[in-house]
Amino acid sequence: MWKLSIADDQGQRTNVTLVRDQYTIGRAEGNSVRLTERNVSRQHALVERTKRGIRIRDLDSDNGIFVNGVRLSSEPHDLEHGDLVQIGDYRIDVIDEDRSTQEQAHRPLAGSVSPPSTRLSDRLVVLIGPNQGHEYPLEMDRHLIGRGEECDIPLDHASVSRVHAEVRRIDAEHFEIIDKGSANGLRINSREMPRAVLDGRDVIEIGDVVLKYIPKGQVFRASPAEGARIAALAGASSLPPGEKASIGLGRTLFAAGLGALVAALLAAYLITAPSRARGVERARATAGLAANVVAALDEAVALKEKGDLSGAHRKIQGLGRKPQITKLPDVIAIETAWAKAQLEEARKRPSLAERRALFDEVARTETVPTALRREASDLSQKTAEKGISLEELEQEQGRTEAESDAKSP
């Protein structure tokens, strides 16, 4: 029998035994499992029983579903015993009670040597970056992370600040990570967060270095989807379908499954150095976006590269005004290039009315960087101060009316 063990942000836990074929999860009344926090969509997820086990599907939610730190697409995803699902502020442990019972039955007898995994401490594992594969045990109450010599967890990478972050022990089982005013910020499971309580399998991005938090006693096993995500962050190819990756015990961290991944990542790290930073930044920036938004953004970038700034600008305008989109580096680059082209075109126009119309268009476009909007507004005002002849105003009004008539049915 499968079970979902759901914990809220206060640590209160509720167990749901899956006896029916389908369960809906969301904020609205009428869901089989109702999660009331605002970062949960009204209809967020669907959990279904299958012949193989259970699977989960995102119902086009705003904030998505994360399984073991990886955001799911709209396709159904098969869950496994021990998976960690994140929906908003809720953490959901997936439990196959038959597997759980078997694991308990194989506990060692009193006086026998414990399996190595039970002796593993809480730790951070380097997935991408210097000393890839190294494990840093969290055995003290405070651990500084950064490039400086005073740091307990040294990450010698240009994207990492001298003292980038700090890990603090809250109690016997929990740690908190805090950004120490770093230049490139702290991201937990692809979200920018100044501080967070670490949970099992959290993925931590320190600049361009990627770490994973592994609770004591656990051996990290990356799913194929997670392996592909790690490879994408490093600029490497994804893993072959069905390939599993594992981190072994003690200092021999990666078992044979992850060996191929390590080799691929190491090769990518050495060979793709010039483009790696751009690839990592792009993967980080778009990690939380819907697939259709990323596809539209890719089309806009392609149009810009072809020189069609107007087409690229129209694509961007169709993506909406959410800060998560408007602050993307690709969006800023496209809108900056379009605005500069508009300002240049305006300066070439002999008609003051046409100039001012172009200046005003740039000044009104919210996705254009503030400095360029201010420049456009100033130019519009200066153009107005020069004066626009009555003839030009009549011509402009005539063009506007003609365009309006042409669009009318």
Side-chain angles (χ1 to χ4, degrees):
M1 185 68 68
W2 289 87
K3 181 170 69 175
L4 302 180
S5 182
I6 305 171
D8 61 19
D9 58 354
Q10 302 299 315
Q12 299 297 316
R13 190 168 288 276
T14 302
N15 293 326
V16 177
T17 301
L18 304 182
V19 295
R20 302 203 302 267
D21 289 337
Q22 289 188 340
Y23 288 78
T24 56
I25 300 176
R27 197 178 72 248
E29 294 183 4
N31 282 291
S32 311
V33 179
R34 190 179 179 209
L35 305 179
T36 56
E37 293 296 330
R38 298 296 299 175
N39 53 11
V40 177
S41 295
R42 294 178 61 81
Q43 301 289 333
H44 201 113
L46 174 67
V47 176
E48 299 175 292
R49 294 176 61 187
T50 67
K51 293 181 179 179
R52 295 178 54 190
I54 60 172
R55 65 186 180 188
I56 190 168
R57 180 161 62 89
D58 193 334
L59 298 178
D60 197 25
S61 64
D62 289 335
N63 294 317
I65 300 171
F66 293 81
V67 176
N68 301 334
V70 181
R71 181 164 182 161
L72 301 184
S73 66
S74 59
E75 297 297 319
H77 177 84
D78 290 328
L79 295 173
E80 298 181 6
H81 173 67
D83 280 347
L84 177 67
V85 179
Q86 182 177 349
I87 295 179
D89 288 337
Y90 296 88
R91 303 293 178 99
I92 304 173
D93 290 306
V94 179
I95 301 170
D96 180 353
E97 292 187 313
D98 294 336
R99 285 272 301 277
S100 181
T101 301
Q102 292 173 9
E103 290 170 1
Q104 291 177 13
H106 286 86
R107 287 177 178 170
L109 297 173
S112 63
V113 178
S114 298
S117 62
T118 64
R119 300 198 300 268
L120 292 173
S121 62
D122 299 282
R123 60 208 186 278
L124 297 179
V125 181
V126 181
L127 299 182
I128 303 295
N131 298 323
Q132 192 169 42
H134 191 76
E135 289 187 357
Y136 293 98
L138 301 178
E139 297 174 340
M140 302 184 295
D141 290 338
R142 296 175 68 246
H143 298 78
L144 292 179
I145 304 175
R147 221 173 55 241
E149 294 179 358
E150 67 271 34
C151 292
D152 308 293
I153 301 176
L155 301 176
D156 187 13
H157 193 277
S159 66
V160 178
S161 296
R162 185 175 180 82
V163 177
H164 198 112
E166 179 183 358
V167 177
R168 295 180 184 173
R169 184 185 296 276
I170 299 175
D171 54 35
E173 297 183 352
H174 297 93
F175 291 87
E176 180 181 34
I177 189 168
I178 304 164
D179 191 334
K180 301 292 286 184
S182 64
N184 290 321
L186 173 68
R187 294 170 70 87
I188 309 295
N189 301 326
S190 301
R191 294 185 179 183
E192 291 187 8
M193 303 180 74
R195 64 193 302 158
V197 175
L198 293 176
D199 203 347
R201 307 181 187 181
D202 276 344
V203 175
I204 305 163
E205 295 176 51
I206 305 286
D208 291 343
V209 177
V210 182
L211 310 174
K212 195 172 187 71
Y213 169 64
I214 310 297
K216 61 184 176 182
Q218 292 190 17
V219 176
F220 170 47
R221 292 182 177 86
S223 67
E226 187 169 25
R229 176 178 179 269
I230 295 167
L233 283 170
S237 301
S238 60
L239 287 173
E243 181 174 332
K244 286 269 184 175
S246 302
I247 291 186
L249 306 175
R251 292 186 178 274
T252 308
L253 304 172
F254 287 79
L258 194 56
L261 175 60
V262 172
L265 297 184
L266 183 57
Y269 194 84
L270 296 174
I271 296 171
T272 65
S275 61
R276 188 186 309 114
R278 292 191 298 273
V280 171
E281 184 59 34
R282 179 70 191 281
R284 289 174 54 193
T286 60
L289 299 179
N292 63 324
V293 174
V294 176
L297 181 60
D298 289 341
E299 292 176 12
V301 171
L303 288 170
K304 175 179 177 288
E305 291 174 351
K306 293 178 181 178
D308 185 2
L309 294 177
S310 295
H313 169 70
R314 286 192 295 272
K315 281 285 183 185
I316 294 301
Q317 294 305 298
L319 296 179
R321 300 292 184 274
K322 291 184 178 180
Q324 186 183 12
I325 294 174
T326 59
K327 292 182 179 180
L328 288 171
D330 285 336
V331 171
I332 294 172
I334 289 170
E335 294 300 86
T336 297
W338 171 81
K340 288 181 177 179
Q342 289 290 93
L343 296 181
E344 185 64 26
E345 178 63 26
R347 294 184 178 97
K348 296 176 182 178
R349 297 291 177 93
S351 166
L352 293 178
E354 290 180 357
R355 289 185 200 174
R356 191 176 182 189
L358 290 172
F359 291 147
D360 287 344
E361 183 181 8
V362 174
R364 289 194 302 266
T365 304
E366 297 177 7
T367 49
V368 170
T370 303
L372 284 170
R373 293 179 64 191
R374 188 179 296 117
E375 179 184 350
S377 179
D378 292 343
L379 288 170
S380 176
Q381 185 175 353
K382 290 177 181 178
T383 303
E385 290 172 355
K386 289 181 180 179
I388 301 176
S389 68
L390 180 61
E391 181 181 356
E392 286 182 333
L393 285 174
E394 290 175 347
Q395 290 174 351
E396 183 67 24
Q397 184 177 1
R399 282 194 295 271
T400 303
E401 291 175 351
E403 291 173 359
S404 178
D405 292 341
K407 293 178 181 178
S408 300

